Amino acid sequence: MTKDQALRRAALVFALLGLGVLAIVGRLVQLQVLEHEEWLALAQAIQEDVVEIPQRRGTIYDRNGLPLACDVPGYSIALDNYHMTKPELLVELLEEVLGLAPDEAAGKVYRSSYFTWLARRVDRRVGEELRTRAEELDIEGLLFFDSWVRAYPQGRLAPEVLGVVGVDGQGLAGLELAYEELLRGTPARYHVLRGRDGRVYDLWVEEPGRPGQDLVLTLDATFQLVCEREIATGLEDYKAGRGFALIMDPRDGAILALAQAPRYDPQSPDPNLLHPWAVTDVFEPGSTFKALVGLAALDQGVVEPDTMLSGDSPYLVGRTRIENAMGLSYGTITFRVAIARSVNTALVQVALRLGRERLYEYLVRMGFGRPTGIELPGEAAGILRPPGEWTDLDLAVASFGQGVAVTGIQLGTAFCALANDGVLPQPHLVPPAPEPVTQAASPEACVTMRELMRFAVAAPNGTCWRVNVPGYGVAAKSGTGQKAIPGEGYSEEVVVGDVAAMFPWETPEYVILVAYDDLPAKYWNPVTGQVEYRWGGSTAGPTIASIIKGLEGEGAITPYPSEITELGRSG
């Protein structure tokens, strides 16, 4: 080989090597510069995970600073399925410690995945037990993340008001849902790093997150506890389908207690029981409405306490016969007696004197026919048709709470206006108190109606005598509403029994409303040995008395001086 040939061959070799180097450099530039983000994302997808864990959720307090719902430290537990050991033992362990069903435990353990959630928001003690037992059995692959568990230091008070929190830490109902943005904060982000074999080699906090904010309520834990106890007792005693008890401060509309039975049970959850039916469902209120119709009539000067009315039964409106309860006739009676003994025919005459337009105007002022704006989800508006659609018969039956549909919160708030000298407050669960809604009636008319309601409690033949608790000057109005069955008319088997009460009658500090739905219209009384009717006054009335006595027993209220609770001029 000549020198020139050798040089040419060397030049060719170097040229080929140079091209190879350029190709390698070009490929490196392509991978590390031009396609860097794409390959980085692929590597991270294979080797890295980001797991979000909710931060501590805000605490919900009652008005006295007692925690009703709060987060306590716990674990969220996952499994690296590809690198676990002893799956048969792990399945048994998950069944025993976490309470998973056999099929569920096996499905999680044998799932083809690098990451499977086993349980979220687990009690700290349970998580530590699982970790210890797994180490003793030499089981690998479990991943433990610091998390939070919702706890209820006062027991499961007011679940239909507070709501519940899901496994991801989000509010699912009640105030937990309504105030989700405030309570939840921002989640912590955990970075999980795996090797080429998929094994987890590192785990660190990428973003610590931010705890949620706290929420203070108007609820009083003692008031709530007493109401829950007594409404459950009443439901059992009277065999009703459901019931609720509501306590409000009439001066500003603060809700101190909202209890219902049956109650939501997290061990056998029924989502329907998470809806506070005093807010979400409507019913015909029955004769409790007479106090509000009477208030409008007093305010308009249509009647006075001693106005004489016919209490005979039946009373004809057009060709329709309107009867008193049990078909009783009372002869000529005063308006005072008509309220105390809940005489339908007398209140029909009052409503007809008042007229459709004026009664409708007052009912609107009292908050009927529209949502109150309470902070709970799913509030119903009620049913109040415009007066142009009313007949004389519609006007007549509205006087005793038929043909209109209300929610418990609407009815309770309307009685707050009566207790608050006509000022309709904004019902609320979260302070501060909003501005009042409107002036529904004059203070003078409200004072007079409260006296008449006190007479209904104090008089021996009043329908609310069972509500009387000495030392509290309770004023009340009872009602027994017929229950409408869609497409069938009114039921003859069940009714709605309710009572609205306030005390002390002269300057009320509390309004209590109790209602029972699907209340059997008749029952066998073993004392008298005969079938008798159930009424709001004989069911909801004793429950209110028990609530007042229960609150006194808990030291939450004390009797008032006698000069405050005396009957006054309606005696």
Side-chain angles (χ1 to χ4, degrees):
M1 178 186 299
T2 64
K3 185 177 181 180
D4 288 342
Q5 288 176 325
L7 289 174
R8 283 197 297 271
R9 181 173 291 181
L12 179 61
V13 170
F14 280 117
L16 292 174
L17 288 174
L19 289 173
V21 170
L22 285 175
I24 293 171
V25 170
R27 182 58 173 160
L28 289 174
V29 169
Q30 179 186 14
L31 293 175
Q32 296 189 20
V33 179
L34 300 179
E35 298 178 1
H36 172 77
E37 296 299 328
E38 180 181 345
W39 288 100
L40 177 63
L42 181 61
Q44 288 176 333
I46 296 173
Q47 299 178 2
E48 300 180 43
D49 271 329
V50 175
V51 179
E52 290 191 348
I53 302 293
Q55 268 290 51
R56 183 188 68 79
R57 194 171 178 84
T59 298
I60 301 178
Y61 295 95
D62 87 336
R63 66 172 181 166
N64 297 312
L66 289 176
L68 302 176
C70 63
D71 273 7
V72 296
Y75 285 115
S76 288
I77 306 169
L79 177 66
D80 182 351
N81 297 69
Y82 283 130
H83 298 92
M84 67 177 170
T85 58
K86 302 183 177 180
E88 297 86 358
L89 291 178
L90 180 56
V91 168
E92 294 179 3
L93 189 61
L94 295 181
E95 293 175 25
E96 182 179 342
V97 178
L98 297 183
L100 300 184
D103 290 347
E104 183 182 7
K108 290 177 179 290
V109 169
Y110 291 106
R111 180 169 175 256
S112 298
S113 174
Y114 282 114
F115 188 94
T116 299
W117 282 117
L118 297 178
R120 310 285 290 275
R121 303 171 72 85
V122 173
D123 183 83
R124 196 82 173 179
R125 178 188 57 80
V126 174
E128 292 293 356
E129 180 183 355
L130 181 64
R131 189 203 298 268
T132 301
R133 296 280 300 279
E135 290 174 353
E136 291 172 353
L137 296 170
D138 199 27
I139 296 173
E140 297 182 2
L142 291 173
L143 305 173
F144 292 82
F145 299 89
D146 288 329
S147 185
W148 299 94
V149 179
R150 206 63 166 161
Y152 304 92
Q154 313 306 320
R156 287 294 305 199
L157 281 179
E160 58 279 345
V161 175
L162 300 182
V164 293
V165 173
V167 294
D168 291 320
Q170 80 280 21
L172 298 180
L175 294 174
E176 296 276 20
L177 173 61
Y179 286 87
E180 171 70 6
E181 292 294 325
L182 177 81
L183 291 166
R184 73 179 178 187
T186 57
R189 292 167 57 88
Y190 286 81
H191 210 103
V192 181
L193 181 65
R194 295 187 179 89
R196 290 177 57 190
D197 58 356
R199 187 182 299 274
V200 174
Y201 283 95
D202 202 359
L203 174 69
W204 69 91
V205 178
E206 187 177 83
E207 170 58 50
R210 175 182 57 79
Q213 299 180 54
D214 297 336
L215 186 66
V216 178
L217 306 183
T218 60
L219 284 184
D220 185 300
T222 301
F223 280 60
Q224 183 70 26
L225 177 66
V226 170
C227 283
E228 289 184 359
R229 181 179 68 213
E230 298 305 332
I231 199 68
T233 299
L235 198 74
E236 177 65 25
D237 289 346
Y238 307 125
K239 311 304 179 187
R242 60 181 183 172
F244 74 77
L246 169 68
I247 303 182
M248 298 179 67
D249 184 336
R251 296 164 294 187
D252 65 0
I255 296 173
L256 306 180
L258 177 54
Q260 69 183 35
R263 299 178 61 220
Y264 177 81
D265 181 1
Q267 300 305 316
S268 54
D270 179 353
N272 292 323
L273 296 180
L274 280 174
H275 301 150
W277 72 273
V279 173
T280 61
D281 295 6
V282 300
F283 59 95
E284 293 193 0
S287 292
T288 51
F289 226 54
K290 289 173 182 171
L292 304 177
V293 174
L295 175 62
L298 288 167
D299 201 34
Q300 286 293 303
V302 169
V303 292
E304 295 179 353
D306 294 324
T307 297
M308 305 304 292
L309 301 161
S310 171
D312 289 337
S313 180
Y315 185 89
L316 289 178
V317 177
R319 296 183 178 181
T320 302
R321 295 160 53 97
I322 294 181
E323 302 271 1
N324 289 325
M326 307 294 294
L328 296 177
S329 287
Y330 298 88
T332 301
I333 57 175
T334 63
F335 180 58
R336 173 187 292 110
V337 172
I339 291 294
R341 304 195 69 175
S342 201
V343 181
N344 290 347
T345 57
L347 265 293
V348 167
Q349 297 162 59
V350 172
L352 292 174
R353 293 181 188 183
L354 188 59
R356 305 172 201 171
E357 295 289 346
R358 285 193 291 183
L359 179 55
Y360 177 82
E361 179 186 347
Y362 272 88
L363 294 180
V364 169
R365 283 192 214 166
M366 295 175 192
F368 296 108
R370 66 179 185 274
T372 66
I374 187 71
E375 297 96 334
L376 292 169
E379 183 183 9
I383 300 173
L384 180 63
R385 293 180 294 120
E389 298 180 9
W390 290 18
T391 64
D392 284 345
L393 183 59
D394 292 325
L395 174 61
V397 298
S399 70
F400 49 86
Q402 209 170 79
V404 294
V406 305
T407 65
I409 195 68
Q410 285 176 335
L411 193 59
T413 303
F415 275 91
C416 281
L418 198 164
N420 194 32
D421 287 343
V423 178
L424 182 72
Q426 171 65 51
H428 62 283
L429 283 157
V430 179
E435 290 296 314
V437 178
T438 189
Q439 183 78 36
S442 69
E444 295 77 15
C446 292
V447 170
T448 301
M449 179 49 68
R450 292 200 301 269
E451 288 186 79
L452 301 184
M453 291 170 61
R454 175 59 183 157
F455 184 62
V457 175
N461 57 1
T463 61
C464 294
W465 65 268
R466 295 176 180 85
V467 184
N468 198 32
V469 180
Y472 288 93
V474 182
K477 183 68 193 80
S478 64
T480 309
Q482 290 182 279
K483 188 171 177 65
I485 307 298
E488 299 181 20
Y490 287 103
S491 171
E492 296 183 0
E493 303 298 324
V494 293
V495 294
V496 175
D498 60 345
V499 170
M502 58 190 68
F503 65 91
W505 73 268
E506 193 170 35
T507 54
E509 297 178 10
Y510 303 101
V511 166
I512 305 180
L513 176 65
V514 168
Y516 290 109
D517 189 20
D518 287 332
L519 183 69
K522 301 176 185 178
Y523 75 107
W524 173 259
N525 187 335
V527 176
T528 62
Q530 58 186 358
V531 174
E532 296 182 2
Y533 284 88
R534 288 205 188 277
W535 309 99
S538 63
T539 54
T543 299
I544 288 181
S546 295
I547 288 172
I548 295 172
K549 293 173 184 176
L551 291 173
E552 181 180 338
E554 295 288 342
I557 59 175
T558 56
Y560 295 90
S562 59
E563 62 268 18
I564 293 179
T565 60
E566 288 175 354
L567 180 60
R569 63 177 180 273
S570 288

